[in-house]
Coordinates of all heavy atoms in Angstrom, one line a residue:
M1233 N 87.2 65.9 5.6 CA 85.7 66.0 5.3 C 85.0 65.7 6.6 O 85.4 65.0 7.6 CB 85.5 64.9 4.4 CG 86.1 65.1 3.0 SD 85.5 63.8 1.9 CE 84.4 64.6 0.8
A1234 N 83.9 66.2 6.7 CA 83.0 66.1 7.8 C 82.4 64.6 7.9 O 82.4 63.9 6.8 CB 81.8 67.0 7.7
A1235 N 82.1 64.1 9.1 CA 81.7 62.8 9.3 C 80.5 62.4 8.4 O 80.6 61.3 7.9 CB 81.4 62.5 10.7
P1236 N 79.4 63.1 8.1 CA 78.4 62.6 7.2 C 78.8 62.3 5.9 O 78.0 61.6 5.2 CB 77.5 63.7 7.4 CG 77.8 64.6 8.5 CD 79.3 64.4 8.7
F1237 N 80.0 62.9 5.5 CA 80.3 62.6 4.0 C 81.4 61.4 3.9 O 81.9 61.1 2.8 CB 81.0 63.8 3.4 CG 79.9 65.0 3.4 CD1 79.9 65.9 4.2 CD2 78.9 64.9 2.5 CE1 79.0 67.0 4.2 CE2 78.0 65.9 2.3 CZ 77.9 67.0 3.2
V1238 N 81.7 60.7 4.9 CA 82.7 59.7 5.0 C 81.9 58.3 5.1 O 81.1 58.2 5.9 CB 83.7 59.8 6.2 CG1 84.6 58.6 6.2 CG2 84.4 61.1 6.1
V1239 N 82.2 57.5 4.1 CA 81.5 56.1 4.1 C 82.4 55.2 4.9 O 83.6 55.0 4.5 CB 81.3 55.7 2.7 CG1 80.7 54.4 2.5 CG2 80.5 56.7 1.8
Q1240 N 81.8 54.5 5.8 CA 82.5 53.5 6.6 C 82.7 52.2 5.7 O 82.0 52.0 4.7 CB 81.8 53.1 7.8 CG 81.6 54.3 8.7 CD 81.0 53.7 10.0 OE1 80.8 52.6 10.2 NE2 80.8 54.7 10.8
G1241 N 83.9 51.6 6.0 CA 84.4 50.4 5.2 C 83.4 49.3 5.5 O 82.4 49.4 6.3
P1242 N 83.3 48.1 4.7 CA 82.5 47.0 4.8 C 82.6 46.5 6.2 O 83.7 46.3 6.8 CB 82.9 46.1 3.8 CG 84.3 46.5 3.4 CD 84.3 48.0 3.7
A1243 N 81.4 45.9 6.8 CA 81.3 45.4 8.1 C 81.1 44.0 8.1 O 81.2 43.3 9.1 CB 80.4 46.1 8.9
G1244 N 80.7 43.5 6.9 CA 80.3 42.0 6.9 C 81.5 41.2 6.6 O 82.7 41.6 6.4
V1245 N 81.2 39.8 6.6 CA 82.3 38.7 6.4 C 81.9 38.0 5.2 O 80.7 37.6 5.1 CB 82.4 38.0 7.7 CG1 83.4 36.9 7.4 CG2 82.9 38.7 8.9
A1246 N 82.8 37.8 4.3 CA 82.4 36.9 3.1 C 83.1 35.6 3.4 O 84.3 35.6 3.6 CB 82.9 37.6 1.9
V1247 N 82.3 34.5 3.3 CA 82.8 33.2 3.5 C 82.8 32.4 2.1 O 81.8 32.4 1.4 CB 82.0 32.4 4.4 CG1 82.4 30.9 4.5 CG2 82.0 33.0 5.8
R1248 N 84.0 32.1 1.7 CA 84.2 31.5 0.3 C 84.7 30.0 0.6 O 85.8 29.9 0.8 CB 85.1 32.2 -0.5 CG 84.6 33.5 -1.0 CD 85.7 34.4 -1.8 NE 85.2 35.7 -1.8 CZ 85.0 36.2 -3.1 NH1 85.2 35.5 -4.2 NH2 84.6 37.5 -3.3
D1249 N 83.7 29.1 0.6 CA 84.1 27.8 0.8 C 83.0 26.8 0.3 O 81.8 27.4 0.0 CB 84.3 27.5 2.3 CG 85.0 26.3 2.7 OD1 85.5 25.5 1.7 OD2 85.3 26.0 3.8
R1250 N 83.3 25.7 0.0 CA 82.3 24.7 -0.5 C 81.7 24.1 0.6 O 82.2 23.8 1.7 CB 82.9 23.7 -1.5 CG 83.4 24.3 -2.7 CD 84.1 23.2 -3.5 NE 84.5 23.7 -4.7 CZ 83.9 23.7 -5.9 NH1 82.8 23.1 -6.0 NH2 84.4 24.3 -7.0
L1251 N 80.3 23.7 0.4 CA 79.7 22.9 1.4 C 80.1 21.4 1.3 O 80.3 20.9 0.3 CB 78.2 23.0 1.2 CG 77.5 24.2 1.4 CD1 76.0 24.2 1.2 CD2 77.6 24.6 3.0
R1252 N 80.4 20.8 2.4 CA 80.8 19.5 2.4 C 79.6 18.7 2.8 O 79.1 18.6 3.9 CB 82.0 19.2 3.4 CG 83.1 20.1 3.3 CD 84.3 19.5 2.6 NE 85.5 20.4 2.7 CZ 86.0 21.1 1.6 NH1 85.2 20.9 0.4 NH2 87.0 21.8 1.7
V1253 N 78.9 18.0 1.9 CA 77.7 17.3 2.0 C 77.8 16.0 1.8 O 78.7 15.5 0.9 CB 76.5 17.9 1.2 CG1 76.2 19.3 1.6 CG2 76.8 17.7 -0.2
S1254 N 77.0 15.1 2.4 CA 77.1 13.6 2.0 C 76.4 13.4 0.6 O 75.8 14.2 0.1 CB 76.3 12.8 3.1 OG 74.9 13.2 2.9
Q1255 N 76.7 12.2 0.1 CA 76.1 11.8 -1.2 C 74.7 11.9 -1.1 O 74.0 12.4 -2.1 CB 76.6 10.5 -1.7 CG 78.1 10.6 -2.1 CD 78.5 9.3 -2.9 OE1 77.8 8.2 -3.0 NE2 79.7 9.3 -3.4
A1256 N 74.0 11.5 0.0 CA 72.5 11.6 0.1 C 72.0 13.0 0.1 O 71.1 13.4 -0.7 CB 72.2 10.9 1.4
D1257 N 72.7 13.9 0.8 CA 72.4 15.4 0.7 C 72.6 15.9 -0.6 O 71.8 16.7 -1.1 CB 73.2 16.0 1.8 CG 72.8 15.9 3.2 OD1 71.7 15.3 3.4 OD2 73.6 16.1 4.1
A1258 N 73.7 15.5 -1.3 CA 73.9 16.0 -2.7 C 72.9 15.7 -3.6 O 72.4 16.3 -4.4 CB 75.3 15.6 -3.3
A1259 N 72.3 14.3 -3.5 CA 71.3 13.9 -4.4 C 70.0 14.7 -4.0 O 69.4 15.0 -5.0 CB 71.2 12.3 -4.1
M1260 N 69.7 14.9 -2.9 CA 68.6 15.6 -2.4 C 68.7 17.0 -2.9 O 67.7 17.6 -3.5 CB 68.5 15.6 -0.9 CG 67.1 16.3 -0.4 SD 67.3 18.1 0.0 CE 68.7 18.1 0.9
L1261 N 69.8 17.8 -2.8 CA 70.0 19.1 -3.4 C 69.8 19.1 -4.8 O 69.2 20.1 -5.3 CB 71.3 19.6 -3.0 CG 71.5 20.0 -1.5 CD1 73.0 20.3 -1.1 CD2 70.6 21.0 -1.0
A1262 N 70.3 18.1 -5.5 CA 70.0 18.1 -7.0 C 68.6 17.9 -7.3 O 68.2 18.6 -8.2 CB 70.9 17.0 -7.5
E1263 N 67.9 17.1 -6.6 CA 66.4 16.9 -6.8 C 65.7 18.3 -6.6 O 64.8 18.7 -7.4 CB 65.8 15.9 -5.9 CG 66.2 14.5 -6.4 CD 65.5 13.5 -5.6 OE1 64.3 13.6 -5.1 OE2 66.1 12.5 -5.3
V1264 N 66.2 19.0 -5.5 CA 65.5 20.3 -5.2 C 65.9 21.2 -6.4 O 64.9 22.0 -6.8 CB 65.9 20.7 -3.9 CG1 65.5 22.3 -3.7 CG2 65.4 20.0 -2.6
G1265 N 67.1 21.2 -6.9 CA 67.4 22.1 -8.0 C 66.6 21.8 -9.3 O 66.1 22.8 -9.9
V1266 N 66.4 20.5 -9.6 CA 65.5 20.2 -10.6 C 64.1 20.6 -10.5 O 63.6 21.2 -11.4 CB 65.6 18.6 -11.0 CG1 64.6 18.3 -11.9 CG2 66.9 18.1 -11.4
F1267 N 63.5 20.5 -9.3 CA 62.2 20.9 -8.9 C 62.1 22.4 -9.1 O 61.2 22.9 -9.8 CB 61.8 20.5 -7.6 CG 60.5 20.9 -7.2 CD1 59.2 20.5 -7.8 CD2 60.4 21.9 -6.2 CE1 58.1 20.9 -7.3 CE2 59.2 22.4 -5.8 CZ 58.0 21.9 -6.5
L1268 N 62.9 23.1 -8.5 CA 62.9 24.6 -8.6 C 63.1 25.2 -10.0 O 62.4 26.1 -10.4 CB 63.9 25.3 -7.7 CG 63.6 25.1 -6.2 CD1 64.6 25.6 -5.4 CD2 62.2 25.7 -5.8
S1269 N 64.0 24.4 -10.8 CA 64.2 24.9 -12.2 C 62.9 24.7 -13.0 O 62.6 25.5 -13.9 CB 65.4 24.1 -12.8 OG 66.5 24.3 -12.2
S1270 N 62.2 23.5 -12.7 CA 60.9 23.3 -13.5 C 59.9 24.3 -13.1 O 59.2 24.8 -14.1 CB 60.4 22.0 -13.2 OG 60.0 21.8 -11.9
L1271 N 59.9 24.7 -11.9 CA 58.9 25.9 -11.6 C 59.3 27.1 -12.2 O 58.4 27.8 -12.8 CB 58.9 26.1 -10.0 CG 58.3 25.0 -9.1 CD1 58.4 25.4 -7.7 CD2 56.8 24.7 -9.4
A1272 N 60.6 27.4 -12.3 CA 61.1 28.6 -12.9 C 60.8 28.7 -14.3 O 60.4 29.7 -14.9 CB 62.6 28.9 -12.5
A1273 N 61.0 27.5 -15.0 CA 60.7 27.5 -16.4 C 59.3 27.6 -16.7 O 58.9 28.3 -17.8 CB 61.2 26.0 -17.0
C1274 N 58.4 27.0 -16.0 CA 57.0 27.2 -16.3 C 56.6 28.7 -15.9 O 55.8 29.2 -16.8 CB 56.2 26.4 -15.2 SG 56.3 24.6 -15.7
D1275 N 57.1 29.2 -14.9 CA 56.8 30.7 -14.7 C 57.3 31.7 -15.8 O 56.6 32.6 -16.2 CB 57.4 31.2 -13.3 CG 57.0 32.6 -12.9 OD1 55.8 32.9 -13.0 OD2 57.9 33.4 -12.9
L1276 N 58.5 31.3 -16.2 CA 59.0 32.2 -17.4 C 58.2 32.1 -18.5 O 58.0 33.0 -19.4 CB 60.5 31.8 -17.6 CG 61.2 32.5 -18.6 CD1 61.3 34.0 -18.3 CD2 62.6 32.0 -18.9
A1277 N 57.6 30.8 -18.9 CA 56.8 30.7 -20.0 C 55.5 31.6 -19.8 O 55.1 32.2 -20.8 CB 56.4 29.3 -20.1
V1278 N 55.0 31.6 -18.7 CA 53.8 32.4 -18.3 C 54.2 33.8 -18.6 O 53.4 34.7 -19.2 CB 53.2 32.1 -16.9 CG1 52.1 33.2 -16.6 CG2 52.8 30.8 -16.8
R1279 N 55.3 34.2 -18.1 CA 55.7 35.7 -18.1 C 56.0 36.1 -19.5 O 55.6 37.1 -20.0 CB 57.0 35.8 -17.3 CG 57.7 37.2 -17.5 CD 56.9 38.3 -17.0 NE 57.6 39.5 -17.3 CZ 57.6 40.3 -18.3 NH1 56.9 39.9 -19.3 NH2 58.2 41.3 -18.5
C1280 N 56.5 35.2 -20.4 CA 56.7 35.5 -21.8 C 55.4 35.6 -22.6 O 55.3 36.5 -23.4 CB 57.6 34.5 -22.4 SG 59.2 34.5 -21.9
R1281 N 54.4 34.9 -22.2 CA 53.1 34.9 -22.8 C 52.5 36.3 -22.5 O 51.6 36.8 -23.3 CB 52.2 33.8 -22.4 CG 52.4 32.5 -23.2 CD 51.5 31.5 -23.0 NE 51.3 30.9 -21.6 CZ 52.0 30.0 -21.1 NH1 52.8 29.4 -21.8 NH2 51.7 29.7 -19.8
Q1282 N 52.8 36.8 -21.3 CA 52.2 38.1 -20.9 C 52.8 39.1 -21.8 O 52.1 40.2 -21.9 CB 52.5 38.5 -19.4 CG 51.7 37.6 -18.5 CD 52.0 37.9 -17.0 OE1 53.0 38.4 -16.8 NE2 51.2 37.5 -16.2
G1283 N 53.8 39.1 -22.3 CA 54.5 40.1 -23.2 C 54.9 41.3 -22.4 O 55.2 41.4 -21.3
L1284 N 54.8 42.5 -23.1 CA 55.1 43.7 -22.5 C 53.9 44.3 -21.6 O 54.2 45.2 -20.9 CB 55.4 44.8 -23.5 CG 56.6 44.5 -24.4 CD1 56.8 45.5 -25.5 CD2 57.9 44.3 -23.5
G1285 N 52.8 43.7 -21.8 CA 51.6 44.1 -21.0 C 51.5 43.6 -19.4 O 50.4 43.3 -19.1
H1286 N 52.5 43.3 -18.8 CA 52.5 42.7 -17.5 C 52.4 43.9 -16.4 O 52.7 45.0 -16.8 CB 53.7 42.0 -17.3 CG 54.9 42.7 -17.1 ND1 55.8 43.1 -18.2 CD2 55.7 43.1 -16.0 CE1 56.8 43.7 -17.8 NE2 56.7 43.8 -16.4
D1287 N 51.8 43.5 -15.3 CA 51.7 44.5 -14.2 C 51.8 43.8 -12.9 O 52.2 42.6 -12.8 CB 50.4 45.2 -14.3 CG 49.3 44.2 -14.3 OD1 49.4 43.1 -14.2 OD2 48.1 44.8 -14.3
A1288 N 51.7 44.6 -11.8 CA 51.8 44.1 -10.5 C 50.8 43.0 -10.1 O 51.1 42.1 -9.4 CB 51.8 45.3 -9.5
A1289 N 49.7 43.1 -10.6 CA 48.6 42.2 -10.3 C 48.8 40.8 -11.0 O 48.8 39.9 -10.4 CB 47.2 42.7 -11.0
G1290 N 49.5 40.9 -12.2 CA 49.8 39.6 -12.9 C 51.0 39.0 -12.1 O 51.2 37.7 -12.0
W1291 N 51.9 39.8 -11.6 CA 53.0 39.3 -10.9 C 52.6 38.6 -9.5 O 53.1 37.6 -9.2 CB 53.9 40.5 -10.4 CG 55.1 40.3 -9.6 CD1 55.2 39.4 -8.4 CD2 56.4 41.0 -9.7 NE1 56.5 39.5 -8.0 CE2 57.2 40.4 -8.6 CE3 56.9 41.9 -10.6 CZ2 58.5 40.8 -8.5 CZ3 58.2 42.2 -10.3 CH2 59.1 41.8 -9.3
A1292 N 51.6 39.3 -9.0 CA 50.9 38.7 -7.7 C 50.3 37.4 -7.9 O 50.5 36.4 -7.2 CB 50.1 39.7 -6.9
V1293 N 49.6 37.3 -9.1 CA 48.9 36.1 -9.4 C 49.8 34.9 -9.7 O 49.8 33.7 -9.1 CB 48.1 36.2 -10.7 CG1 47.6 34.9 -11.2 CG2 46.8 37.1 -10.3
R1294 N 51.0 35.2 -10.3 CA 52.0 34.2 -10.6 C 52.7 33.8 -9.3 O 52.9 32.5 -9.1 CB 53.1 34.7 -11.6 CG 52.5 34.8 -12.9 CD 53.5 35.4 -14.0 NE 54.9 35.3 -13.8 CZ 55.7 36.5 -13.5 NH1 55.1 37.7 -13.8 NH2 56.9 36.4 -13.2
E1295 N 52.9 34.8 -8.4 CA 53.6 34.5 -7.2 C 52.7 33.5 -6.3 O 53.2 32.5 -5.7 CB 54.0 35.8 -6.4 CG 54.9 35.4 -5.2 CD 55.4 36.7 -4.7 OE1 55.4 37.7 -5.3 OE2 56.0 36.7 -3.5
R1296 N 51.3 33.9 -6.3 CA 50.5 33.1 -5.5 C 50.4 31.6 -6.0 O 50.3 30.7 -5.2 CB 49.0 33.6 -5.4 CG 48.8 34.8 -4.3 CD 47.5 35.0 -4.1 NE 46.8 35.6 -5.4 CZ 46.9 36.9 -5.7 NH1 47.5 37.7 -5.0 NH2 46.3 37.2 -6.8
E1297 N 50.4 31.5 -7.3 CA 50.3 30.1 -8.0 C 51.6 29.3 -7.5 O 51.5 28.2 -7.3 CB 50.0 30.2 -9.4 CG 48.8 30.7 -9.9 CD 48.7 30.9 -11.4 OE1 49.7 30.7 -12.1 OE2 47.5 31.3 -11.8
L1298 N 52.8 30.0 -7.6 CA 54.0 29.3 -7.3 C 54.0 29.0 -5.8 O 54.7 28.0 -5.4 CB 55.2 30.1 -7.7 CG 55.5 30.0 -9.1 CD1 56.6 31.2 -9.4 CD2 55.9 28.7 -9.5
T1299 N 53.4 29.8 -4.9 CA 53.5 29.6 -3.5 C 52.8 28.2 -3.1 O 53.2 27.6 -2.2 CB 52.9 30.8 -2.7 OG1 53.6 32.0 -3.0 CG2 52.9 30.6 -1.2
G1300 N 51.7 28.0 -3.9 CA 51.1 26.7 -3.7 C 51.9 25.5 -4.0 O 51.6 24.4 -3.5
K1301 N 52.9 25.6 -4.8 CA 53.7 24.5 -5.2 C 55.0 24.5 -4.5 O 55.7 23.5 -4.6 CB 54.0 24.7 -6.8 CG 52.8 24.5 -7.7 CD 53.0 24.8 -9.1 CE 51.7 24.9 -9.8 NZ 52.0 25.3 -11.2
S1302 N 55.4 25.6 -3.9 CA 56.7 25.6 -3.1 C 56.5 26.4 -1.8 O 55.8 25.9 -0.9 CB 57.9 26.3 -4.1 OG 57.4 27.6 -4.4
S1303 N 57.1 27.6 -1.7 CA 57.0 28.3 -0.5 C 56.9 29.8 -1.0 O 57.4 30.1 -2.1 CB 58.2 28.2 0.4 OG 59.4 28.7 -0.2
A1304 N 56.5 30.8 -0.2 CA 56.4 32.1 -0.5 C 57.8 32.7 -0.9 O 58.0 33.4 -1.8 CB 55.8 32.9 0.6
R1305 N 58.9 32.3 -0.1 CA 60.2 32.7 -0.3 C 60.6 32.4 -1.7 O 61.3 33.1 -2.5 CB 61.1 32.2 0.7 CG 62.6 32.7 0.5 CD 63.3 32.4 1.7 NE 62.9 33.2 2.8 CZ 63.5 33.3 4.0 NH1 64.5 32.5 4.4 NH2 62.9 34.0 4.9
W1306 N 60.5 31.0 -2.1 CA 61.0 30.6 -3.3 C 60.1 31.2 -4.5 O 60.6 31.6 -5.5 CB 61.0 29.1 -3.5 CG 62.2 28.5 -2.8 CD1 62.1 27.6 -1.7 CD2 63.6 28.6 -3.1 NE1 63.2 27.2 -1.3 CE2 64.3 27.8 -2.2 CE3 64.1 29.3 -4.1 CZ2 65.7 27.7 -2.3 CZ3 65.6 29.1 -4.2 CH2 66.3 28.4 -3.3
A1307 N 58.9 31.3 -4.2 CA 58.0 31.8 -5.3 C 58.4 33.3 -5.6 O 58.4 33.7 -6.6 CB 56.4 31.9 -4.8
G1308 N 58.6 34.1 -4.5 CA 59.0 35.5 -4.8 C 60.3 35.6 -5.5 O 60.6 36.4 -6.4
S1309 N 61.3 34.6 -5.2 CA 62.7 34.7 -5.9 C 62.4 34.2 -7.4 O 63.0 34.9 -8.2 CB 63.6 33.7 -5.3 OG 63.8 34.1 -3.9
I1310 N 61.5 33.2 -7.6 CA 61.4 32.9 -9.0 C 60.7 33.9 -9.9 O 61.1 34.2 -10.9 CB 60.6 31.5 -9.1 CG1 61.5 30.4 -8.6 CG2 60.1 31.2 -10.5 CD1 60.7 29.1 -8.2
V1311 N 59.7 34.6 -9.2 CA 58.9 35.5 -10.1 C 59.8 36.8 -10.3 O 59.9 37.4 -11.4 CB 57.7 35.9 -9.2 CG1 57.0 37.3 -9.8 CG2 56.7 34.9 -9.3
T1312 N 60.7 37.2 -9.3 CA 61.5 38.3 -9.5 C 62.5 38.0 -10.5 O 62.7 38.9 -11.4 CB 62.2 38.6 -8.2 OG1 61.3 38.9 -7.1 CG2 63.2 39.8 -8.3
V1313 N 63.1 36.8 -10.7 CA 64.1 36.6 -11.6 C 63.4 36.6 -13.0 O 64.1 37.0 -14.0 CB 64.8 35.2 -11.4 CG1 65.5 34.6 -12.5 CG2 65.6 35.4 -10.1
A1314 N 62.2 36.0 -13.2 CA 61.4 36.0 -14.4 C 61.2 37.4 -14.9 O 61.1 37.6 -16.1 CB 60.3 35.2 -14.2
V1315 N 61.1 38.3 -13.9 CA 60.8 39.7 -14.4 C 62.0 40.4 -14.7 O 62.2 41.0 -15.8 CB 60.0 40.5 -13.3 CG1 60.0 42.0 -13.6 CG2 58.7 39.9 -13.2
L1316 N 63.1 40.3 -13.9 CA 64.3 41.0 -14.1 C 65.3 40.5 -15.2 O 65.9 41.2 -15.9 CB 65.1 41.1 -12.8 CG 64.3 41.9 -11.7 CD1 65.2 41.9 -10.4 CD2 64.0 43.3 -12.1
K1317 N 65.4 39.2 -15.3 CA 66.4 38.5 -16.3 C 66.1 39.0 -17.7 O 66.9 39.5 -18.4 CB 66.3 37.1 -16.2 CG 67.2 36.5 -15.1 CD 68.7 36.6 -15.6 CE 69.4 35.7 -14.6 NZ 70.8 35.9 -14.7
P1318 N 64.9 38.9 -18.2 CA 64.6 39.2 -19.6 C 64.7 40.7 -19.9 O 65.3 41.0 -20.9 CB 63.0 38.8 -19.9 CG 62.6 37.8 -18.8 CD 63.6 38.2 -17.6
N1319 N 64.4 41.5 -18.8 CA 64.6 43.0 -19.0 C 66.1 43.4 -19.1 O 66.6 44.3 -19.8 CB 64.0 43.7 -18.0 CG 62.4 43.7 -18.0 OD1 61.9 43.2 -19.1 ND2 61.7 43.8 -16.9
S1320 N 66.9 42.5 -18.4 CA 68.4 42.9 -18.4 C 69.0 42.9 -19.8 O 70.0 43.4 -20.1 CB 69.1 42.2 -17.3 OG 69.1 40.8 -17.7
R1321 N 68.4 42.0 -20.6 CA 69.0 41.7 -21.9 C 68.6 42.8 -22.8 O 69.2 43.0 -23.9 CB 68.4 40.4 -22.5 CG 69.0 39.2 -21.6 CD 68.5 37.9 -22.4 NE 68.9 36.9 -21.5 CZ 68.1 35.9 -21.3 NH1 66.9 35.7 -21.8 NH2 68.5 34.9 -20.4
L1322 N 67.7 43.6 -22.5 CA 67.2 44.7 -23.4 C 68.1 45.9 -23.2 O 68.1 46.8 -24.1 CB 65.7 45.1 -23.0 CG 64.8 44.0 -23.3 CD1 63.5 44.4 -22.8 CD2 64.6 43.6 -24.8
R1323 N 68.8 46.1 -22.2 CA 69.6 47.2 -22.0 C 70.9 47.4 -22.9 O 71.5 46.4 -23.3 CB 70.2 47.3 -20.6 CG 69.0 47.4 -19.7 CD 69.5 47.6 -18.2 NE 68.4 47.5 -17.4 CZ 68.2 46.9 -16.2 NH1 69.3 46.5 -15.5 NH2 67.3 46.9 -15.4

């Protein structure tokens, strides 16, 4: 086969290991998890109230509101999950 039709193998490295953290770090990570879960739960409730009539503008409003409570990166992740997760169950 010609070169353009040959797919190269994976070039990345997968690391499968547990983080070794102190008890203080583990407690802090647990608190962060609880905090982010509460933000996600609130956002999911807003998303469910929107029903099927959601759009990009509503997505942007929800993301801006979450950015004020966390960071743009976490807000984007939470809003994306709230949009994709419920739809994946419909398939």
Side-chain angles (χ1 to χ4, degrees):
M1233 293 181 109
F1237 297 104
V1238 177
V1239 177
Q1240 294 186 3
V1245 175
V1247 177
R1248 295 175 186 244
D1249 201 0
R1250 292 181 182 259
L1251 291 175
R1252 310 258 188 251
V1253 296
S1254 68
Q1255 287 195 352
D1257 288 343
M1260 184 270 311
L1261 289 171
E1263 286 183 37
V1264 170
V1266 168
F1267 174 70
L1268 291 174
S1269 295
S1270 70
L1271 292 180
C1274 291
D1275 183 62
L1276 183 58
V1278 171
R1279 168 66 181 89
C1280 289
R1281 282 193 297 273
Q1282 289 177 342
L1284 298 176
H1286 68 281
D1287 58 358
W1291 180 322
V1293 168
R1294 289 182 15 244
E1295 190 168 349
R1296 275 194 299 276
E1297 289 174 359
L1298 284 172
T1299 299
K1301 299 173 185 172
S1302 59
S1303 70
R1305 181 170 293 184
W1306 281 115
S1309 296
I1310 291 170
V1311 170
T1312 300
V1313 168
V1315 169
L1316 298 179
K1317 274 282 196 200
N1319 293 338
S1320 67
R1321 294 184 190 138
L1322 298 175
R1323 293 182 191 148

